Amino acid sequence: MTTSALTRMISRSLLAPTLIVALAILVKGYASVGDGFSAGVVAALGILLQMLAFGRDQVTADLPIHRAPLVAMTGLFIGFAVLAVPVLTGGAPLEHWPPPDEKPIYLGTVELITAVVFDIGVFLLVLGSCVKVIDALAGAAAEDDA
Amino acid sequence: MLIALPILILFPVAIALALMDGRRKPAGIIAIAALAFATAALGVLMAKVAIDGPQEVVAGGWSPDVGIRLRVDALGAIFALTTAAVLLASMAQAVAAGCASRTTPTLTVFMALGLTGLFLTGDVFSFYVFFELAMISAYGLTAGEGLAGGRFRAGFIFAVVNLIGSFLFLIAIGALYRATGTLEMIEVARRAAEINPNTAILLAVTFFVAFGVKLGLFPFHAWLPSVYLGVQPHIAAMFAGALANIGAYGLLRFGGVILPRELELGATAIIVLGGVSIVYGAIQAISRRETREVLAYSAIGHAGYVLVALGLGGPVGLTAAVVFSVANALNKTLLFLTSELRGKFMATAFLIGALSVAGVPPSAGFFGKASLFEAGIDAESIAALVLLFVGGALTFVYLFQIYQHDRWRPRAEGEYDRDNLITAGRPAQRTVGVIVALVVLVLGLWPQPLLAVADQAAAQIEQEAPR
């Protein structure tokens, strides 16, 4: 371990806020700046910070890093579901819900619409792939050191 | 609905396969099943297009001028069907031989998804997106299924050269959008007739180079032999039989439909480049000794024939380009799939492939060559006819040199089989080879469906192209 106690403490306490910020970016899209892609990148940066501060072995033990491919593919599958579900119910692919002139369901100030579901898929895909790439690079770096 | 069906099948299966270990049998069998289903769906779709005319569906249920269109006409349908069938055969043989990498089934299905999508889209930008999906899968396949010697070399050359091609294509799309203000193919074609001729010719050249790289035309061919030689034969079959169709289809779609006047303007240059491709590919092929090397250079030559047909133009020329592309895709698949297998059946299948490439009836290749000659006669171009004849004669030479140099000669230990590929093949591999050979034969005995669809495709190109 080459990092100091201070770095480790700050990194550890930054993880939760990073994920909260990612979530905020994810849900505040549409009306203002933000979307699933940038949210996924921010969340993955949170994981990267942990890797830098604690090393790959420690992070792999603490967090379910090995699930990254599953997360990515779940995200891709959600995206696909947004494409396919309307076709199965007799509409056009990617058809938007709710239809024009209909009020969406509100959760607080978050509108529950097709685009949000799609962006959650994008978020998971970006998060999963970025974490997997980070993990692979960290693994390669560890091999070089050994 | 029907038009979206192949995409709706391939997409979830590709996702699921990404999580499975492709070296095990179940993943391979799921991939084969999905590709078989998609091929069947595309067959039905092609029948529907042949009877009812072009089909389309607008994503999101938007009005057609706003939304992104999935649209298929005879041209897209025939290419999509051929491509899916080629990928099915290659995948089946990959599974029979045992996949080398855990990603092979998922990447093949993703490639099928990309290729199907690009043949079925009516939108220039989603064409690019599907195109990149197919290309990225192909880079992955090269790395995963490469042969020990040249794997990273092949993957690196392939990725770098084709990324430059993709980049040029993206630039051309951007410029096309700047010039016409729309990405919808039919509307682009209508407005392209009115843009500044200088801009249009620049656009046409950029598109030509982009697709020329994919097709492996002279002088953009440098990547092709090292890639085809650096991967397993069944992956080479996927590249030669399926991925190269992007180039032929792209030239027909962007040259024939969107920029037809520029195509006419450049006809002489196109025929000359095609001719150089034919002669260069054939002479290089003659100078090679190893079967797969000969086939790789022969692919460069055959890209030239598509170009000559396109340059001759007119309904007959466009029909010839379609028929030849389809026949050539099947021939190349058959030859690559059987090139390293030995035994009675495989030797026969390989011979059928060789005769088909040479254009001996009854085979699919005969009608490919015959329609090219017809186009030459129709255009009253003696130069083109001489070129086709010389090309055909050279083809005979290199195809039968394969027997002289590779098959009928006793070899010293390890000679000409650096990669240790030659085997008798497993029964499943042999079955796939025989089935593809039968398809080539049946198309030679009963070519009417292919010719009719090709005629229809050419007629639709002529009709959609603004004049």
Side-chain angles (χ1 to χ4, degrees):
Chain A
M1 191 70 63
T2 50
T3 50
S4 70
L6 189 66
T7 314
R8 291 202 295 277
M9 193 194 76
I10 292 178
S11 312
R12 174 54 55 92
S13 46
L14 271 177
L15 179 61
T18 314
L19 295 181
I20 297 293
V21 169
L23 206 62
I25 295 174
L26 177 63
V27 297
K28 88 184 190 61
Y30 323 108
S32 60
V33 187
D35 59 12
F37 190 95
S38 33
V41 172
V42 169
L45 286 177
I47 307 286
L48 176 60
L49 184 61
Q50 304 308 310
M51 288 265 189
L52 289 174
F54 295 95
R56 179 169 179 250
D57 294 341
Q58 184 69 42
V59 179
T60 332
D62 291 349
L63 298 169
I65 300 293
H66 66 286
R67 296 268 183 232
L70 185 65
V71 170
M73 288 303 134
T74 308
L76 195 54
F77 191 80
I78 292 176
F80 167 72
V82 171
L83 168 87
V85 169
V87 179
L88 297 178
T89 59
L94 282 171
E95 193 154 298
H96 192 268
W97 188 89
D101 300 330
E102 229 173 85
K103 277 252 178 270
I105 300 170
Y106 281 94
L107 292 175
T109 55
V110 179
E111 296 178 351
L112 207 60
I113 53 175
T114 301
V116 175
V117 179
F118 188 77
D119 243 6
I120 292 172
V122 174
F123 169 73
L124 292 177
L125 175 59
V126 171
L127 174 61
S129 350
C130 287
V131 168
K132 182 66 204 163
V133 170
I134 291 167
D135 186 44
L137 291 176
E143 264 173 36
D144 282 351
D145 290 345
Chain B
M1 173 61 206
L2 185 60
I3 177 171
L5 192 62
I7 295 173
L8 294 181
I9 299 161
L10 294 170
F11 201 159
V13 172
I15 297 171
L17 285 174
L19 295 169
M20 298 174 71
D21 187 345
R23 281 165 301 192
R24 298 173 187 233
K25 277 273 139 88
I29 289 169
I30 293 173
I32 292 173
L35 287 168
F37 208 85
T39 309
L42 287 167
V44 175
L45 183 65
M46 197 181 82
K48 199 167 164 55
V49 169
I51 296 164
D52 297 342
Q55 305 284 313
E56 65 173 50
V57 65
V58 181
W62 294 91
S63 72
D65 51 335
V66 182
I68 293 171
R69 235 190 266 233
L70 282 178
R71 181 174 189 283
V72 58
D73 52 15
L75 179 66
I78 182 86
F79 270 98
L81 180 61
T82 311
T83 305
V86 166
L87 286 176
L88 173 62
S90 313
M91 185 75 235
Q93 200 163 50
V95 173
C99 294
S101 152
R102 72 184 301 284
T103 52
T104 305
T106 179
L107 286 175
T108 308
V109 178
F110 267 120
M111 187 154 99
L113 173 66
L115 290 169
T116 310
L118 80 88
F119 295 131
L120 298 188
T121 184
D123 180 270
V124 179
F125 193 73
S126 47
F127 183 104
Y128 173 74
V129 173
F130 282 120
F131 167 93
E132 276 297 304
L133 180 61
M135 291 312 298
I136 290 168
S137 312
Y139 306 147
L141 279 174
T142 320
E145 289 274 339
L147 300 169
R151 167 169 159 185
F152 286 104
R153 186 165 173 269
F156 184 75
I157 294 175
F158 188 36
V160 169
V161 175
N162 279 282
L163 277 175
I164 295 172
S166 304
F167 183 57
L168 281 175
F169 183 48
L170 188 59
I171 289 177
I173 291 179
L176 190 67
Y177 181 65
R178 172 74 179 76
T180 61
T182 177
L183 288 169
E184 216 280 304
M185 281 180 187
I186 300 175
E187 191 59 30
V188 167
R190 198 171 303 140
R191 294 188 200 172
E194 282 145 32
I195 56 184
N196 180 332
N198 282 333
T199 317
I201 198 79
L202 208 60
L203 272 172
V205 171
T206 318
F207 275 122
F208 176 77
V209 174
F211 290 120
V213 171
K214 303 292 150 186
L215 194 56
L217 277 172
F218 185 88
F220 316 113
H221 64 278
W223 62 274
L224 196 143
S226 57
V227 174
Y228 284 15
L229 280 176
V231 294
Q232 295 280 350
H234 45 257
I235 303 294
M238 288 183 195
F239 291 172
L243 204 65
N245 289 346
I246 297 180
Y249 176 79
L251 288 174
L252 281 163
R253 177 68 71 191
F254 284 85
V257 179
I258 294 179
L259 299 160
R261 289 172 315 144
E262 286 66 31
L263 182 67
E264 239 163 71
L265 193 67
T268 314
I270 286 177
I271 293 177
V272 168
L273 269 181
V276 175
S277 230
I278 291 172
V279 175
Y280 173 86
I283 289 176
Q284 284 282 5
I286 288 173
S287 70
R288 305 290 145 163
R289 292 287 181 269
E290 222 177 316
T291 307
R292 287 182 309 133
E293 246 179 324
V294 172
L295 293 180
Y297 282 100
S298 139
I300 298 172
H302 285 97
Y305 287 106
V306 179
L307 210 57
V308 169
L310 198 67
L312 291 173
V316 188
L318 294 174
T319 309
V322 175
V323 174
F324 185 81
S325 302
V326 172
N328 184 39
L330 293 174
N331 289 342
K332 284 282 144 52
T333 309
L334 175 57
L335 287 177
F336 271 115
L337 288 184
T338 54
S339 64
E340 308 301 327
L341 301 178
R342 293 293 184 267
K344 230 182 336 192
F345 285 110
M346 289 303 91
T348 315
F350 187 85
L351 180 67
I352 291 174
L355 291 175
S356 181
V357 169
V360 177
S363 63
F366 169 71
F367 287 95
K369 281 270 164 72
S371 56
L372 284 174
F373 274 102
E374 202 185 338
I377 293 165
D378 185 69
E380 289 173 0
S381 164
I382 293 171
L385 285 173
V386 170
L387 185 65
L388 290 172
F389 185 79
V390 170
L394 291 172
T395 308
F396 259 98
V397 174
Y398 67 68
L399 282 173
F400 296 102
Q401 272 195 341
I402 289 179
Y403 284 89
Q404 189 186 348
H405 292 311
D406 204 3
R407 301 211 149 210
W408 287 349
R409 207 166 60 87
R411 38 180 94 226
E413 185 110 357
E415 194 195 358
Y416 294 136
D417 189 20
R418 295 181 304 227
D419 304 314
N420 218 357
L421 287 170
I422 294 176
T423 60
R426 299 189 182 150
Q429 277 176 288
R430 293 204 292 267
T431 315
V432 173
V434 169
I435 292 174
V436 180
L438 283 179
V439 170
V440 170
L441 267 185
V442 167
L443 267 180
L445 291 169
W446 189 49
Q448 282 85 351
L450 173 62
L451 297 178
V453 172
D455 270 336
Q456 198 184 352
Q460 274 161 5
I461 293 174
E462 289 277 303
Q463 183 195 334
E464 275 167 27
R467 303 225 166 236

